Amino acid sequence: MNTTSSTGYAFSFHGAALCALGARALWWPQETTLIASDLHLGKSERVARRTGVSLPPYETRDTLHRLEGLIAELSPKRVICLGDSFDDDRAANSLGPQDKARLSALMQGRHWIWVEGNHDPTPPPLGGEAVAQFSLGSLIFRHIATPQGVGEISGHYHPKASLRGQSRPAFLMDRNRMILPAFGTYTGGLRSTDPALTALMEKQALAILTGARALPCPMPR
């Protein structure tokens, strides 16, 4: 728990005391809830199946390894995965026995919530609760941000931002919404300067760059 105070950025959002972690996940201490978005498990399998291009098939292992580390450190009672947890439904069902066992061990004894994404509208029968969106306290969790969202936490866009010439995956936050960076290992990113994000986020929005330390700055436009 001490690690989060030194590497994360603590803030208040719609009455909730949250911490944006440098490890690309969100921590809600009062609810002992860990939130991560866009794991895209099984991406190498989907890419190989659809394009014939073989990527090193280690992204699922690495993504689960990093998730295991956060869960071991924080011991969350609840984990919310904000959609696109799997690269598609077939990739989800193609996870190897070892990966399924690791995921099952992470879920054991926790309230695990799969928010449906555009890549995985039908989460596989691996346990947990599959929902279109999830509400907790004053916050609502969904995969894709909505223009009218208030107290909304989402993913989907894989935002990244640049600070002093360094581009990193980033959280984006304004008064009404927060968009999480992609947690998955084989995920690209959309620059915060892209019109899809500048049109969605308020002018005074904040970017929180991830890495060894979470670094807040005005959202680059």
Side-chain angles (χ1 to χ4, degrees), residues 148-167:
Q148 69 276 15
V150 176
E152 176 188 81
I153 296 179
S154 63
H156 179 65
Y157 288 100
H158 305 192
K160 61 181 181 180
S162 296
L163 180 65
R164 295 190 290 272
Q166 294 188 5
S167 179

PDB file of all heavy atoms in Angstrom, residues 148-167:
ATOM      1  N   GLN A 148     -22.789  13.012 -22.170  1.00  0.00           N
ATOM      2  CA  GLN A 148     -23.586  13.484 -21.035  1.00  0.00           C
ATOM      3  C   GLN A 148     -23.162  12.834 -19.720  1.00  0.00           C
ATOM      4  O   GLN A 148     -23.791  13.066 -18.687  1.00  0.00           O
ATOM      5  CB  GLN A 148     -25.077  13.213 -21.289  1.00  0.00           C
ATOM      6  CG  GLN A 148     -25.469  11.739 -21.266  1.00  0.00           C
ATOM      7  CD  GLN A 148     -25.251  11.035 -22.578  1.00  0.00           C
ATOM      8  OE1 GLN A 148     -24.567  11.534 -23.457  1.00  0.00           O
ATOM      9  NE2 GLN A 148     -25.841   9.847 -22.723  1.00  0.00           N
ATOM     10  N   GLY A 149     -22.097  12.069 -19.714  1.00  0.00           N
ATOM     11  CA  GLY A 149     -21.682  11.343 -18.516  1.00  0.00           C
ATOM     12  C   GLY A 149     -21.293  12.261 -17.369  1.00  0.00           C
ATOM     13  O   GLY A 149     -20.634  13.281 -17.568  1.00  0.00           O
ATOM     14  N   VAL A 150     -21.697  11.892 -16.167  1.00  0.00           N
ATOM     15  CA  VAL A 150     -21.343  12.620 -14.948  1.00  0.00           C
ATOM     16  C   VAL A 150     -20.873  11.589 -13.918  1.00  0.00           C
ATOM     17  O   VAL A 150     -21.564  10.599 -13.674  1.00  0.00           O
ATOM     18  CB  VAL A 150     -22.538  13.431 -14.398  1.00  0.00           C
ATOM     19  CG1 VAL A 150     -22.165  14.090 -13.076  1.00  0.00           C
ATOM     20  CG2 VAL A 150     -22.996  14.474 -15.408  1.00  0.00           C
ATOM     21  N   GLY A 151     -19.704  11.826 -13.334  1.00  0.00           N
ATOM     22  CA  GLY A 151     -19.153  10.835 -12.421  1.00  0.00           C
ATOM     23  C   GLY A 151     -18.828   9.542 -13.142  1.00  0.00           C
ATOM     24  O   GLY A 151     -18.894   8.456 -12.564  1.00  0.00           O
ATOM     25  N   GLU A 152     -18.407   9.668 -14.392  1.00  0.00           N
ATOM     26  CA  GLU A 152     -18.231   8.522 -15.276  1.00  0.00           C
ATOM     27  C   GLU A 152     -16.761   8.130 -15.384  1.00  0.00           C
ATOM     28  O   GLU A 152     -15.894   8.984 -15.579  1.00  0.00           O
ATOM     29  CB  GLU A 152     -18.773   8.885 -16.657  1.00  0.00           C
ATOM     30  CG  GLU A 152     -18.582   7.834 -17.729  1.00  0.00           C
ATOM     31  CD  GLU A 152     -18.975   8.381 -19.089  1.00  0.00           C
ATOM     32  OE1 GLU A 152     -18.156   9.089 -19.718  1.00  0.00           O
ATOM     33  OE2 GLU A 152     -20.114   8.105 -19.502  1.00  0.00           O
ATOM     34  N   ILE A 153     -16.496   6.840 -15.275  1.00  0.00           N
ATOM     35  CA  ILE A 153     -15.145   6.297 -15.446  1.00  0.00           C
ATOM     36  C   ILE A 153     -15.209   5.242 -16.547  1.00  0.00           C
ATOM     37  O   ILE A 153     -16.032   4.334 -16.493  1.00  0.00           O
ATOM     38  CB  ILE A 153     -14.611   5.711 -14.130  1.00  0.00           C
ATOM     39  CG1 ILE A 153     -14.473   6.834 -13.090  1.00  0.00           C
ATOM     40  CG2 ILE A 153     -13.270   5.023 -14.341  1.00  0.00           C
ATOM     41  CD1 ILE A 153     -13.980   6.370 -11.738  1.00  0.00           C
ATOM     42  N   SER A 154     -14.333   5.396 -17.547  1.00  0.00           N
ATOM     43  CA  SER A 154     -14.414   4.541 -18.726  1.00  0.00           C
ATOM     44  C   SER A 154     -13.020   4.255 -19.268  1.00  0.00           C
ATOM     45  O   SER A 154     -12.011   4.662 -18.686  1.00  0.00           O
ATOM     46  CB  SER A 154     -15.281   5.208 -19.806  1.00  0.00           C
ATOM     47  OG  SER A 154     -14.681   6.428 -20.242  1.00  0.00           O
ATOM     48  N   GLY A 155     -12.971   3.556 -20.393  1.00  0.00           N
ATOM     49  CA  GLY A 155     -11.709   3.223 -21.043  1.00  0.00           C
ATOM     50  C   GLY A 155     -11.808   3.445 -22.541  1.00  0.00           C
ATOM     51  O   GLY A 155     -12.084   4.532 -23.004  1.00  0.00           O
ATOM     52  N   HIS A 156     -11.577   2.402 -23.318  1.00  0.00           N
ATOM     53  CA  HIS A 156     -11.808   2.336 -24.752  1.00  0.00           C
ATOM     54  C   HIS A 156     -10.789   3.073 -25.619  1.00  0.00           C
ATOM     55  O   HIS A 156     -10.314   2.524 -26.609  1.00  0.00           O
ATOM     56  CB  HIS A 156     -13.218   2.841 -25.092  1.00  0.00           C
ATOM     57  CG  HIS A 156     -13.544   2.829 -26.551  1.00  0.00           C
ATOM     58  ND1 HIS A 156     -13.631   1.671 -27.283  1.00  0.00           N
ATOM     59  CD2 HIS A 156     -13.793   3.843 -27.431  1.00  0.00           C
ATOM     60  CE1 HIS A 156     -13.926   1.971 -28.549  1.00  0.00           C
ATOM     61  NE2 HIS A 156     -14.016   3.272 -28.666  1.00  0.00           N
ATOM     62  N   TYR A 157     -10.435   4.317 -25.280  1.00  0.00           N
ATOM     63  CA  TYR A 157      -9.641   5.148 -26.178  1.00  0.00           C
ATOM     64  C   TYR A 157      -8.128   4.907 -26.069  1.00  0.00           C
ATOM     65  O   TYR A 157      -7.385   5.410 -26.905  1.00  0.00           O
ATOM     66  CB  TYR A 157      -9.934   6.625 -25.928  1.00  0.00           C
ATOM     67  CG  TYR A 157     -11.298   7.057 -26.407  1.00  0.00           C
ATOM     68  CD1 TYR A 157     -12.361   7.180 -25.510  1.00  0.00           C
ATOM     69  CD2 TYR A 157     -11.531   7.330 -27.742  1.00  0.00           C
ATOM     70  CE1 TYR A 157     -13.622   7.583 -25.943  1.00  0.00           C
ATOM     71  CE2 TYR A 157     -12.784   7.725 -28.185  1.00  0.00           C
ATOM     72  CZ  TYR A 157     -13.829   7.848 -27.287  1.00  0.00           C
ATOM     73  OH  TYR A 157     -15.070   8.237 -27.720  1.00  0.00           O
ATOM     74  N   HIS A 158      -7.680   4.211 -25.024  1.00  0.00           N
ATOM     75  CA  HIS A 158      -6.242   3.997 -24.825  1.00  0.00           C
ATOM     76  C   HIS A 158      -5.479   5.334 -24.871  1.00  0.00           C
ATOM     77  O   HIS A 158      -4.498   5.478 -25.604  1.00  0.00           O
ATOM     78  CB  HIS A 158      -5.648   3.081 -25.897  1.00  0.00           C
ATOM     79  CG  HIS A 158      -6.301   1.756 -26.055  1.00  0.00           C
ATOM     80  ND1 HIS A 158      -5.728   0.734 -26.799  1.00  0.00           N
ATOM     81  CD2 HIS A 158      -7.463   1.251 -25.586  1.00  0.00           C
ATOM     82  CE1 HIS A 158      -6.525  -0.333 -26.786  1.00  0.00           C
ATOM     83  NE2 HIS A 158      -7.584  -0.029 -26.052  1.00  0.00           N
ATOM     84  N   PRO A 159      -5.895   6.333 -24.097  1.00  0.00           N
ATOM     85  CA  PRO A 159      -5.259   7.652 -24.226  1.00  0.00           C
ATOM     86  C   PRO A 159      -3.786   7.649 -23.830  1.00  0.00           C
ATOM     87  O   PRO A 159      -3.352   6.895 -22.958  1.00  0.00           O
ATOM     88  CB  PRO A 159      -6.078   8.529 -23.283  1.00  0.00           C
ATOM     89  CG  PRO A 159      -6.708   7.590 -22.315  1.00  0.00           C
ATOM     90  CD  PRO A 159      -6.947   6.325 -23.073  1.00  0.00           C
ATOM     91  N   LYS A 160      -3.035   8.513 -24.492  1.00  0.00           N
ATOM     92  CA  LYS A 160      -1.654   8.772 -24.122  1.00  0.00           C
ATOM     93  C   LYS A 160      -1.407  10.272 -24.276  1.00  0.00           C
ATOM     94  O   LYS A 160      -2.114  10.961 -25.006  1.00  0.00           O
ATOM     95  CB  LYS A 160      -0.670   7.962 -24.962  1.00  0.00           C
ATOM     96  CG  LYS A 160      -0.710   8.243 -26.447  1.00  0.00           C
ATOM     97  CD  LYS A 160       0.297   7.361 -27.177  1.00  0.00           C
ATOM     98  CE  LYS A 160       0.299   7.631 -28.676  1.00  0.00           C
ATOM     99  NZ  LYS A 160       1.274   6.780 -29.397  1.00  0.00           N
ATOM    100  N   ALA A 161      -0.415  10.769 -23.552  1.00  0.00           N
ATOM    101  CA  ALA A 161      -0.117  12.196 -23.569  1.00  0.00           C
ATOM    102  C   ALA A 161       1.388  12.388 -23.478  1.00  0.00           C
ATOM    103  O   ALA A 161       2.117  11.494 -23.036  1.00  0.00           O
ATOM    104  CB  ALA A 161      -0.823  12.911 -22.414  1.00  0.00           C
ATOM    105  N   SER A 162       1.851  13.550 -23.896  1.00  0.00           N
ATOM    106  CA  SER A 162       3.279  13.855 -23.899  1.00  0.00           C
ATOM    107  C   SER A 162       3.594  14.964 -22.901  1.00  0.00           C
ATOM    108  O   SER A 162       2.835  15.926 -22.758  1.00  0.00           O
ATOM    109  CB  SER A 162       3.726  14.292 -25.298  1.00  0.00           C
ATOM    110  OG  SER A 162       3.568  13.248 -26.229  1.00  0.00           O
ATOM    111  N   LEU A 163       4.715  14.797 -22.210  1.00  0.00           N
ATOM    112  CA  LEU A 163       5.206  15.793 -21.265  1.00  0.00           C
ATOM    113  C   LEU A 163       6.722  15.841 -21.412  1.00  0.00           C
ATOM    114  O   LEU A 163       7.395  14.815 -21.292  1.00  0.00           O
ATOM    115  CB  LEU A 163       4.818  15.414 -19.836  1.00  0.00           C
ATOM    116  CG  LEU A 163       5.279  16.369 -18.729  1.00  0.00           C
ATOM    117  CD1 LEU A 163       4.613  17.733 -18.881  1.00  0.00           C
ATOM    118  CD2 LEU A 163       4.948  15.785 -17.349  1.00  0.00           C
ATOM    119  N   ARG A 164       7.224  17.022 -21.706  1.00  0.00           N
ATOM    120  CA  ARG A 164       8.664  17.211 -21.909  1.00  0.00           C
ATOM    121  C   ARG A 164       9.244  16.208 -22.915  1.00  0.00           C
ATOM    122  O   ARG A 164      10.299  15.619 -22.712  1.00  0.00           O
ATOM    123  CB  ARG A 164       9.404  17.133 -20.579  1.00  0.00           C
ATOM    124  CG  ARG A 164       9.036  18.272 -19.611  1.00  0.00           C
ATOM    125  CD  ARG A 164       9.949  18.293 -18.412  1.00  0.00           C
ATOM    126  NE  ARG A 164       9.729  17.172 -17.525  1.00  0.00           N
ATOM    127  CZ  ARG A 164       8.841  17.169 -16.539  1.00  0.00           C
ATOM    128  NH1 ARG A 164       8.094  18.249 -16.308  1.00  0.00           N
ATOM    129  NH2 ARG A 164       8.708  16.121 -15.760  1.00  0.00           N
ATOM    130  N   GLY A 165       8.489  15.996 -23.996  1.00  0.00           N
ATOM    131  CA  GLY A 165       8.957  15.131 -25.070  1.00  0.00           C
ATOM    132  C   GLY A 165       8.746  13.653 -24.842  1.00  0.00           C
ATOM    133  O   GLY A 165       9.056  12.850 -25.720  1.00  0.00           O
ATOM    134  N   GLN A 166       8.212  13.268 -23.684  1.00  0.00           N
ATOM    135  CA  GLN A 166       7.966  11.858 -23.388  1.00  0.00           C
ATOM    136  C   GLN A 166       6.478  11.551 -23.539  1.00  0.00           C
ATOM    137  O   GLN A 166       5.643  12.215 -22.938  1.00  0.00           O
ATOM    138  CB  GLN A 166       8.416  11.508 -21.975  1.00  0.00           C
ATOM    139  CG  GLN A 166       9.920  11.603 -21.752  1.00  0.00           C
ATOM    140  CD  GLN A 166      10.312  11.066 -20.386  1.00  0.00           C
ATOM    141  OE1 GLN A 166       9.492  10.548 -19.649  1.00  0.00           O
ATOM    142  NE2 GLN A 166      11.590  11.189 -20.060  1.00  0.00           N
ATOM    143  N   SER A 167       6.168  10.555 -24.360  1.00  0.00           N
ATOM    144  CA  SER A 167       4.785  10.132 -24.566  1.00  0.00           C
ATOM    145  C   SER A 167       4.522   8.870 -23.756  1.00  0.00           C
ATOM    146  O   SER A 167       5.280   7.902 -23.839  1.00  0.00           O
ATOM    147  CB  SER A 167       4.525   9.872 -26.051  1.00  0.00           C
ATOM    148  OG  SER A 167       3.193   9.444 -26.257  1.00  0.00           O
TER     149      SER A 167
END
